[in-house]
Amino acid sequence: MKWNTIQWLFVAGLLFCSFMKAPAIKNNERNNQFREPDIKTGADQTELYVPYLRGKRVAVMANPTSIIGKKHLVDSLKSLGIHIVKVFGPEHGFRGNASAGAKVKDETDPATGIPIISLYGSKHKPSKEDMADVDVLVYDLQDVGVRFYTNINALARLMEACAENNKEMLILDRPNPNGYLIDGPVLDMKYKSGIGMFPIPMSHGLTVAEFAQMANGEGWLANKEKCRLKIIKVTHYNHAMPYTLPVKPSPNLNTQQAVLLYPSTCMFEGTYINLGRGTQFPFTVLGSPELKGKYTFHFTPVSIKGMAETPLFMNQVCYGLDLRNYDTEKLRKSGKINLQWIMELYKASPHKEKFFDSKLSNQMGKIENLIGSGLFRQQIIEGASEATIRASWEPGLSNYKKMREKYLLYP
């Protein structure tokens, strides 16, 4: 059958209309669509560092997030013939079976027979003796991009030990799941503590390798030492790119929702509010028995071995906010830590004198140490607006953002 001109024009018109109705893929969406599957962590690129490690005495800082594909880094390197003389263990331990804040003892890894030296127990930094039989130290821990997540503190101490003993550090870099977020006050160093050691904002927008370069460049190591670094970068990664972690970074950050809410909800560690510790969904719910009648949502914290043995308000019904289905894309679009939740729960609290009482809450620490500012507590108490609170973070936050640019490995 031959088609006439009118029929051909009709078909052409239909095709044109369907093309016009199809949603356009923006450049950044196209990049994410095709590049995210191509992300390779530093550890995954064994061809770039395994030959370098051969014949060397290797120490490794690792935990369950230290993986090549689906296999643990240490197990993989050992099977590839790399001579691992010891493993340094961070908070939660090498195999991740210790609770948050719990001291971890030295031990021997039953799977490999490799000695494990804890840096979250009687000491926090390798000794000269620990480093004597090491040629190179490999660092591979997944970070989540906030100041009070202690991995970067461990990294800095390891860098100091390497610098003091003339050893090189090999960093196998990983994406920051909150890499888009640079927010919060820069730490006022008079509030320096184990949950905040460096003058960076609450959410710093760096990978661990970028932080290491910053610590070197800004003279933050002891005696302004500089550590010799060898970095294996992540491929096809940028800071704006969403990234889902393949392994939970710690026992209480057990979902991607928790990881993305963590910069906003961890500040409740400095309050008389339970933030989900003692449940299977920490950092995604907030509540207190004192909020009964103010909220209908409720949960009951219990003792959970390896997560929270003695959570705040244990075995008591807590009422408050359920953020498990909160659209975290709102945080990404705003580029800000959420301050409304802490403002709301303080306002709803019937006993406001307890709200910031760290002795009562017995959680991570004082709100000043978490936030990094001596103003925040009083600002919340006085009902200051979010705009006023954010204004008090300047010019420190803007100055940090400019300084940060010098150390970026990724756009």
Side-chain angles (χ1 to χ4, degrees), residues 50-58 80-83 135-136:
V50 166
Y52 167 77
L53 294 178
R54 291 196 188 282
K56 293 183 172 69
R57 298 170 298 174
V58 178
L80 291 170
I82 301 304
H83 180 37
D135 296 317
V136 60

Side-chain angles (χ1 to χ4, degrees), residues 20-32:
M20 293 301 290
K21 289 179 181 178
I25 299 177
K26 297 177 183 178
N27 285 337
N28 62 338
E29 291 173 348
R30 184 180 291 111
N31 287 342
N32 285 344

Side-chain angles (χ1 to χ4, degrees), residues 62-64 72 74 87-90 92-96 104 107 109 112 116:
N63 69 6
H72 197 283
V74 169
V87 170
F88 292 114
H92 305 294
F94 167 53
R95 296 290 182 181
V104 183
E107 58 181 333
D109 180 39
T112 62
I116 302 170

Side-chain angles (χ1 to χ4, degrees), residues 18-207:
S18 67
F19 174 78
M20 293 301 290
K21 289 179 181 178
I25 299 177
K26 297 177 183 178
N27 285 337
N28 62 338
E29 291 173 348
R30 184 180 291 111
N31 287 342
N32 285 344
Q33 183 178 0
F34 291 101
R35 291 177 69 186
E36 278 189 71
D38 295 329
I39 283 181
K40 291 184 73 174
T41 67
D44 284 333
Q45 300 171 75
T46 53
E47 70 281 4
L48 297 183
Y49 65 93
V50 166
Y52 167 77
L53 294 178
R54 291 196 188 282
K56 293 183 172 69
R57 298 170 298 174
V58 178
V60 180
M61 175 62 136
N63 69 6
T65 68
S66 312
I67 55 173
I68 298 175
K70 295 184 178 180
K71 190 175 180 181
H72 197 283
L73 174 77
V74 169
D75 301 330
S76 295
L77 292 182
K78 189 173 174 63
S79 69
L80 291 170
I82 301 304
H83 180 37
I84 301 176
V85 295
K86 66 193 63 175
V87 170
F88 292 114
E91 184 179 7
H92 305 294
F94 167 53
R95 296 290 182 181
N97 49 13
S99 296
K103 290 188 175 183
V104 183
K105 296 180 179 179
D106 293 350
E107 58 181 333
T108 299
D109 180 39
T112 62
I114 298 172
I116 302 170
I117 298 173
S118 173
L119 298 182
Y120 205 83
S122 59
K123 63 182 174 184
H124 292 86
K125 180 177 172 180
S127 66
K128 184 176 181 179
E129 291 71 27
D130 292 333
M131 299 297 292
D133 60 347
V134 173
D135 296 317
V136 60
L137 194 159
V138 177
Y139 182 96
D140 180 28
L141 297 183
Q142 176 65 61
D143 200 67
V144 295
V146 293
R147 184 181 62 224
F148 32 72
Y149 201 69
T150 59
N151 285 353
I152 58 172
N153 299 346
L155 171 57
R157 294 185 184 108
L158 286 169
M159 290 174 66
E160 289 175 357
C162 285
E164 291 162 2
N165 293 279
N166 195 27
K167 311 290 183 177
E168 185 170 53
M169 176 180 287
L170 170 66
I171 297 180
L172 304 177
D173 210 10
R174 293 182 177 273
N176 175 356
N178 291 303
Y180 73 95
L181 186 59
I182 310 164
D183 199 27
V186 171
L187 176 68
D188 181 337
M189 293 301 281
K190 71 182 177 183
Y191 298 113
K192 178 180 178 181
S193 70
I195 54 173
M197 293 177 56
F198 304 99
I200 57 178
M202 290 169 62
S203 191
H204 52 67
L206 300 167
T207 66

Side-chain angles (χ1 to χ4, degrees), residues 10 31 37 87 93 118 152 228 236 241 263 407:
F10 177 74
N31 287 342
V87 170
S118 173
I152 58 172
R228 287 189 290 127
H236 303 132
M241 185 179 289
Y407 304 106

